[in-house]
Amino acid sequence: MRTLKYAILGLINRNSMTGYDLMKVFNLELVNFWYAKHSQIYPELKKLTDDGLITYETVLLGDKLEKKLYSITQEGRKDFLNWLAKQDQLEPTPKDIFRLKTFFIESMTREEMLKQFYYQLDQRKAKLKKLETSMSQHPYSKEISDIASPEYGDYIVLKGAIMREHTYIDWLKGCIKEIESFTKPHF
Amino acid sequence: MRTLKYAILGLINRNSMTGYDLMKVFNLELVNFWYAKHSQIYPELKKLTDDGLITYETVLLGDKLEKKLYSITQEGRKDFLNWLAKQDQLEPTPKDIFRLKTFFIESMTREEMLKQFYYQLDQRKAKLKKLETSMSQHPYSKEISDIASPEYGDYIVLKGAIMREHTYIDWLKGCIKEIESFTKPHF
DNA sequence: TCGCAACATGTCAATACTTACATGTTGTTT
DNA sequence: AAACAACATGTAAGTATTGACATGTTGCGA
């Protein structure tokens, strides 16, 4: 579906940037809903350049280090906006290895079940904490801004990520409670 | 990470089945956390057979139609149980095109924003309704069963899917409310 | 000034997954 | 009897993604 293409176009549309910048944005800001390694980004940038959707100018950093600063073209912007406005069918539900393991829970001992759930819970709690830290530092949450600002998109996807993580944690806690109630000795 | 391998081993461990059966299970029961097309399943079955993790016997359906009924081997079960008990690091957050588009919301008009959010909301509501129907028909939810039954895994992942969908809907509703409050004419 | 982290850009092989191609049988409905 | 859905199994080409290989610069701290 060429989603990486449009993610890159959208980011370059916001600000001109290098492949390295894109890599950082993917693995910091977008990490809650999209990401890519540099080995995928650089070939895609080349392709988009060949297709005339972006252009670059070479910028020097220091004496020798050449970096390519990419900008979007008219054609690129048109393509991006067209993708953005398109109404998509629901994607397939995302894959989730932990849920898959949970499906096979009957093949675990109760000790294994609980060990898995508690480990997952710890990790999810740590992740939620990080997200909440990001939120507390987010410019949009500090002052009521306009929905037409780039920070607004940032802000609502972060809010969504926090809600998602909260729900995962609630689900884990519910499972743990249920399993423990069955684990207790019967008399 | 060979997740398809373990999903298949786990299902065949529950019951012996054919590739076609696996395909149906993937796209009905597991669809909320894993799935695969038959073009991925058949080659994987061949590989697992070659590796000695599963075996098959040919069964006739009618006069001519040969189907392969796969069963797990000792080695296969051992491999599966080992995978199941392994504690995994948190997976990267699943990719989500709608959230990506939401991130770029500033490039949309207010009408486009609302059109996108309402369309997504309709689809999510329909999906939730289906999940809730499945739940109401689920054997485990009808009678309090034991957590050691295969239905229990089924039941808790379904519960998780419903919670996840509820949260997505709540997030969408929150976004819509916020956008609409900004859309109203100022005077 | 040495070492190391971060900056910067690429390729290649392998894995994962999708879409289309390809074929034939069985059961049900018209 | 014809048509069609569901059963049943496979391959091939292409896209998406990962992990490893490969190389060199710049800035900072010890």
Side-chain angles (χ1 to χ4, degrees), chain A residues 83 89 93 101 119 127 167, chain B residues 83 93 101 119 127 167:
Chain A
W83 168 79
Q89 286 306 113
T93 313
K101 287 195 174 186
Y119 187 61
K127 188 171 177 182
T167 301
Chain B
W83 168 79
T93 313
K101 287 194 173 186
Y119 187 61
K127 188 171 175 180
T167 301

Side-chain angles (χ1 to χ4, degrees), chain B residues 35-48:
Chain B
Y35 44 85
K37 308 279 168 75
H38 77 277
S39 56
Q40 208 185 349
I41 294 169
Y42 289 114
E44 189 66 40
L45 284 170
K46 201 189 169 192
K47 205 173 180 184
L48 295 177

Side-chain angles (χ1 to χ4, degrees), chain A residues 94-105:
Chain A
K95 293 181 174 181
D96 183 330
I97 297 176
F98 187 79
R99 292 183 202 249
L100 178 63
K101 287 195 174 186
T102 301
F103 179 79
F104 293 126
I105 196 169

Side-chain angles (χ1 to χ4, degrees), chain A residues 153-183:
Chain A
D154 228 71
Y155 167 75
I156 51 174
V157 293
L158 184 54
K159 204 161 94 178
I162 289 172
M163 290 171 74
R164 173 170 59 185
E165 222 48 55
H166 261 302
T167 301
Y168 212 114
I169 287 169
D170 287 345
W171 175 65
L172 291 170
K173 283 180 177 170
C175 293
I176 287 170
K177 203 177 160 189
E178 206 161 29
I179 295 166
E180 284 184 338
S181 76
F182 271 94
T183 311

Side-chain angles (χ1 to χ4, degrees), chain A residues 33 83-84 86-89 91 93 96-97 101 103 115-116 119 127 152 156 164 167 171, chain B residues 33 83-84 86-89 91 93 96-97 101 115-116 119 127 154 156 164 167 171 178:
Chain A
F33 46 91
W83 168 79
L84 194 63
K86 210 181 62 204
Q87 303 217 339
D88 305 312
Q89 286 306 113
E91 293 174 80
T93 313
D96 183 330
I97 297 176
K101 287 195 174 186
F103 179 79
K115 209 177 87 180
Q116 289 281 11
Y119 187 61
K127 188 171 177 182
Y152 184 64
I156 51 174
R164 173 170 59 185
T167 301
W171 175 65
Chain B
F33 47 91
W83 168 79
L84 194 64
K86 211 181 62 204
Q87 302 218 342
D88 305 312
Q89 286 305 113
E91 293 173 79
T93 313
D96 183 329
I97 297 176
K101 287 194 173 186
K115 211 178 84 181
Q116 289 280 12
Y119 187 61
K127 188 171 175 180
D154 227 72
I156 51 174
R164 171 168 62 183
T167 301
W171 176 65
E178 206 161 30

Side-chain angles (χ1 to χ4, degrees), chain A:
Chain A
M1 297 221 294
R2 309 298 322 278
T3 310
L4 179 62
K5 166 183 167 178
Y6 294 106
I8 290 175
L9 284 180
L11 289 173
I12 294 178
N13 183 48
R14 277 193 163 186
N15 307 297
S16 293
M17 55 177 87
T18 67
Y20 194 82
D21 292 331
L22 281 168
M23 189 190 73
K24 281 190 297 180
V25 175
F26 271 116
N27 299 302
L28 288 172
E29 288 177 67
L30 302 202
V31 77
N32 289 304
F33 46 91
W34 208 267
Y35 44 85
K37 308 280 170 75
H38 76 278
S39 55
Q40 206 185 353
I41 293 169
Y42 289 114
E44 188 66 40
L45 284 170
K46 202 189 168 191
K47 204 174 181 184
L48 295 177
T49 306
D50 292 345
D51 293 347
L53 304 177
I54 55 176
T55 47
Y56 67 88
E57 53 168 332
T58 304
V59 175
L60 269 180
L61 202 167
D63 290 326
K64 296 177 183 173
L65 217 176
E66 292 189 342
K67 50 182 191 173
K68 292 179 178 176
L69 188 64
Y70 288 91
S71 310
I72 200 162
T73 63
Q74 287 291 310
E75 204 190 333
R77 199 189 318 276
K78 201 180 144 191
D79 197 350
F80 168 67
L81 291 175
N82 184 56
W83 168 79
L84 194 63
K86 210 181 62 204
Q87 303 217 339
D88 305 312
Q89 286 306 113
L90 226 54
E91 293 174 80
T93 313
K95 293 181 174 181
D96 183 330
I97 297 176
F98 187 79
R99 292 183 202 249
L100 178 63
K101 287 195 174 186
T102 301
F103 179 79
F104 293 126
I105 196 169
E106 55 139 355
S107 298
M108 288 186 235
T109 63
R110 283 167 187 196
E111 290 65 40
E112 277 176 332
M113 289 179 195
L114 288 170
K115 209 177 87 180
Q116 289 281 11
F117 275 103
Y118 274 114
Y119 187 61
Q120 185 76 195
L121 183 62
D122 281 350
Q123 290 182 96
R124 294 275 169 187
K125 277 181 175 172
K127 188 171 177 182
L128 178 61
K129 206 171 174 182
K130 277 183 195 168
L131 290 170
E132 280 173 338
T133 303
S134 300
M135 180 56 106
S136 70
Q137 289 164 355
H138 198 281
Y140 194 91
S141 66
K142 284 179 183 156
E143 45 177 307
I144 310 291
S145 193
D146 188 51
I147 58 164
S149 70
E151 285 81 23
Y152 184 64
D154 228 71
Y155 167 75
I156 51 174
V157 293
L158 184 54
K159 204 161 94 178
I162 289 172
M163 290 171 74
R164 173 170 59 185
E165 222 48 55
H166 261 302
T167 301
Y168 212 114
I169 287 169
D170 287 345
W171 175 65
L172 291 170
K173 283 180 177 170
C175 293
I176 287 170
K177 203 177 160 189
E178 206 161 29
I179 295 166
E180 284 184 338
S181 76
F182 271 94
T183 311
K184 280 174 189 151
H186 308 289
F187 45 87

Side-chain angles (χ1 to χ4, degrees), chain B residues 12-72:
Chain B
I12 294 177
N13 184 46
R14 277 193 163 187
N15 307 297
S16 293
M17 56 178 88
T18 67
Y20 195 81
D21 292 332
L22 281 168
M23 188 191 72
K24 282 190 297 179
V25 174
F26 271 116
N27 299 299
L28 288 172
E29 288 177 68
L30 302 202
V31 77
N32 290 305
F33 47 91
W34 208 267
Y35 44 85
K37 308 279 168 75
H38 77 277
S39 56
Q40 208 185 349
I41 294 169
Y42 289 114
E44 189 66 40
L45 284 170
K46 201 189 169 192
K47 205 173 180 184
L48 295 177
T49 306
D50 292 345
D51 292 348
L53 304 176
I54 54 176
T55 46
Y56 67 88
E57 52 168 332
T58 304
V59 175
L60 271 180
L61 200 168
D63 290 326
K64 296 176 181 173
L65 218 176
E66 292 189 342
K67 50 182 192 174
K68 293 179 178 174
L69 189 65
Y70 288 92
S71 311
I72 199 162

